[in-house]
Amino acid sequence: MTDAPKATILTMDDAEILREAMAAYLENHGYRVLQAADGREGLEIFEAARPDLVLIDLRMPVLGGMEVLARLREMAPDTPTIVVSGTGLLQDALEAIRLGAWDFITKPMADMAVLLHAVDKALDRARLLDENRRHREHLESEIARRTLALERSLEEKKVLLAEIHHRVKNNLQIILGLVAIQAEEADSDAERERFSRLETRVRSMALIHQQLYKHGDLSTIDMAEYAQALISSLAAIFRHAMAGVEVICDCQPFQLGLGKAVPCGLLLNELVSNACKHAFTPGQAGRLTIRMALEDGQAAIEVADDGRGPGPDFSLETAQTMGMTLVRELTRQLEGTIRRLPGPGLHLAVTFPVDQASAKPAA
C-alpha cells in the first residue's frame, strides 16, 4: 500500500526539463507534485487543488512570477511560497520577499538537496504557524467562554447583593419606625432626646444601603450625594433648633468603598447632629458649613459653625458625651485624625487615608 504524500507542492516554471527534475526529486522524497508551465496555468491549478506549498520561477510567459506572488498573497497569504529563479539580482530577491515569498533559491542548483531543505523548512514553519493559530483561536474561544460565564455569575451575585441591600434598608426602616414609637412613649425629654439621636444614627446607615440599591453600584458610595441626603434629613429633624441657621454643604463628588463609607457616614452624622443640637439657641441666626473632599489619598471632613461654642473646658480628647465618644471611636476605625480649628463656634476637621482601590473621584 502506497504511503500518503507528506504534502502537495505546485511548481511553476516554463523550463520543462528543470520542472520535471524538481518534481521527480520531490516525489522521491514523499511529496505529491503538480506542475504548471506559466503563471496563469499555475494560478488555475492553485485555485482547484489548493497545494500546501508553491515553487515559482520569476521569468515565465503569460504571467510573471512577481504577479503570481502578488495574487497568491491576496488569495492565500498563509501558503508558503519559494522563488526558484535563474536571476540572481538582489533587487529581485528583495521584491519577491516583499511580495510574500518565504525563501529565494537561485538556479541552476548544484544539489537538489538545497531545494528539499528549503521545502521541508517552509512546510515546518507553516505547520507551526498553523498550530499556533489554532492554539490562539482555542485560547480566545476558551477565554470568551469563561468570561461569559464569569459575567453571568457576577450578574447573579449583583442581583443577590442588591436584594440584600434592599432588605437591610427595609429592616432599618422598620427599626426606625420602632424607635419613633418608643420615642412617643418616652416619659421625659431626656429619653426622647436619646431616641432622637438613635434615629439619626440608624438613618445614616439606612441611607448607605438606599444609595447602593438606588444606583446599582454595590461597591462604592457617592459621598457628595450621600452627604446632601443626610444633611437634608438632619435639617428636617432639627428644624426648630435650626430655624434661623443657613446650612452650606460644600461636598466635592467622590466615591468611597463600603468599608469606609459606613463609619464615614456615621461620623458625619455625629458631627452635623451635634452642631444642629448644641451650636445655636432656637431662633438664633447663624451658619453651619459642611465640607467634604478627597485629595492625595486622604478624605477630609470639616464641620464648622459660628454659634455659641462648646465652652472653655471643652476638650476633644476628654469630652465624655455619647456624641464625642462616637466621633473619637469612628475616627479611630477610619485610622484618621481629628482636630479643632480656630474660628467662631466649633470647627472640627477629620482626615483619614483612603487607598486607591476603594476610593475614586465620582464620574
Side-chain angles (χ1 to χ4, degrees), residues 235-255:
I237 292 172
F238 294 102
R239 58 187 177 277
H240 297 301
M242 299 287 288
V245 178
E246 178 187 8
V247 179
I248 299 172
C249 183
D250 179 16
C251 298
Q252 297 179 14
F254 68 92
Q255 294 179 330

Side-chain angles (χ1 to χ4, degrees), residues 204-205 208 221-224 226-227 230 254-272 291-293 299-303 327 329-331 333-334 350-354:
S204 72
M205 291 186 288
I208 292 284
I221 296 291
D222 184 335
M223 294 308 295
Y226 171 81
L230 179 64
F254 68 92
Q255 294 179 330
L256 280 184
L258 191 57
K260 293 281 188 179
V262 172
C264 179
L266 284 167
L267 177 63
L268 181 64
N269 174 78
E270 291 304 316
L271 294 174
V272 176
R291 296 188 180 91
M292 292 183 69
I301 302 173
E302 290 187 33
V303 177
V327 165
E329 177 59 24
L330 291 166
T331 302
Q333 287 184 26
L334 291 166
V350 178
T351 57
F352 58 90
V354 182

Side-chain angles (χ1 to χ4, degrees), residues 142-186:
E142 188 66 14
I143 289 171
R145 184 185 67 80
R146 294 191 180 188
T147 299
L148 180 60
L150 286 172
E151 287 174 350
R152 287 174 177 170
S153 176
L154 180 60
E155 188 60 32
E156 290 172 358
K157 288 179 173 59
K158 285 178 67 177
V159 171
L160 178 60
L161 193 54
E163 179 62 21
I164 290 171
H165 284 300
H166 182 57
R167 293 191 180 191
V168 170
K169 176 183 73 72
N170 288 345
N171 289 338
L172 289 173
Q173 292 293 341
I174 292 172
I175 293 172
L176 285 171
L178 294 173
V179 170
I181 293 172
Q182 288 294 108
E184 291 177 0
E185 297 177 353

Side-chain angles (χ1 to χ4, degrees), residues 18-303:
L18 178 60
R19 190 177 71 240
E20 292 284 357
M22 290 192 298
Y25 185 82
L26 292 171
E27 286 172 348
N28 286 337
H29 286 83
Y31 291 104
R32 173 179 175 236
V33 181
L34 307 175
Q35 299 183 44
D38 59 62
R40 179 177 296 172
E41 181 187 8
L43 288 177
E44 291 173 355
I45 294 174
F46 183 87
E47 283 272 24
R50 289 288 170 168
D52 302 298
L53 182 142
V54 183
L55 301 173
I56 305 171
D57 181 24
L58 291 183
R59 303 289 185 261
M60 292 185 294
V62 185
L63 195 66
M66 294 296 187
E67 294 175 88
V68 171
L69 281 171
R71 298 272 189 90
L72 288 176
R73 185 171 63 177
E74 294 176 359
M75 295 165 58
D78 295 332
T79 300
T81 53
I82 298 174
V83 171
V84 182
S85 178
T87 172
L89 296 176
L90 177 61
Q91 182 179 350
D92 286 340
L94 292 175
E95 179 64 12
I97 297 298
R98 188 187 70 80
L99 290 172
W102 289 33
D103 206 343
F104 192 99
I105 301 173
T106 57
K107 57 182 182 181
M109 287 175 281
D111 189 348
M112 283 287 186
V114 174
L115 175 65
L116 180 63
H117 175 72
V119 167
D120 288 342
K121 183 176 70 173
L123 288 171
D124 283 344
R125 179 187 170 198
R127 177 181 54 78
L128 289 173
L129 289 173
D130 184 61
E131 288 178 359
N132 286 339
R133 178 184 59 79
R134 292 175 185 273
H135 184 59
R136 184 177 65 253
E137 289 174 353
H138 172 72
L139 287 177
E140 289 173 353
S141 175
E142 188 66 14
I143 289 171
R145 184 185 67 80
R146 294 191 180 188
T147 299
L148 180 60
L150 286 172
E151 287 174 350
R152 287 174 177 170
S153 176
L154 180 60
E155 188 60 32
E156 290 172 358
K157 288 179 173 59
K158 285 178 67 177
V159 171
L160 178 60
L161 193 54
E163 179 62 21
I164 290 171
H165 284 300
H166 182 57
R167 293 191 180 191
V168 170
K169 176 183 73 72
N170 288 345
N171 289 338
L172 289 173
Q173 292 293 341
I174 292 172
I175 293 172
L176 285 171
L178 294 173
V179 170
I181 293 172
Q182 288 294 108
E184 291 177 0
E185 297 177 353
D187 296 328
S188 66
D189 290 342
E191 275 192 64
R192 280 189 286 274
E193 168 61 18
R194 283 194 290 271
F195 281 119
S196 176
R197 296 303 296 272
L198 176 59
E199 179 185 354
T200 65
R201 289 159 187 155
V202 175
R203 193 178 299 278
S204 72
M205 291 186 288
L207 275 173
I208 292 284
H209 294 280
Q210 180 177 326
Q211 290 271 64
L212 289 168
Y213 184 74
K214 175 182 175 182
H215 294 293
D217 182 351
L218 303 177
S219 60
T220 60
I221 296 291
D222 184 335
M223 294 308 295
E225 184 177 347
Y226 171 81
Q228 291 280 4
L230 179 64
I231 292 165
S232 296
S233 174
L234 292 174
I237 292 172
F238 294 102
R239 58 187 177 277
H240 297 301
M242 299 287 288
V245 178
E246 178 187 8
V247 179
I248 299 172
C249 183
D250 179 16
C251 298
Q252 297 179 14
F254 68 92
Q255 294 179 330
L256 280 184
L258 191 57
K260 293 281 188 179
V262 172
C264 179
L266 284 167
L267 177 63
L268 181 64
N269 174 78
E270 291 304 316
L271 294 174
V272 176
S273 58
N274 278 341
C276 289
K277 179 170 176 56
H278 300 295
F280 306 97
T281 57
Q284 176 186 352
R287 177 178 295 174
L288 174 62
T289 303
I290 301 98
R291 296 188 180 91
M292 292 183 69
L294 179 67
E295 296 178 354
D296 300 325
Q298 292 277 325
I301 302 173
E302 290 187 33
V303 177

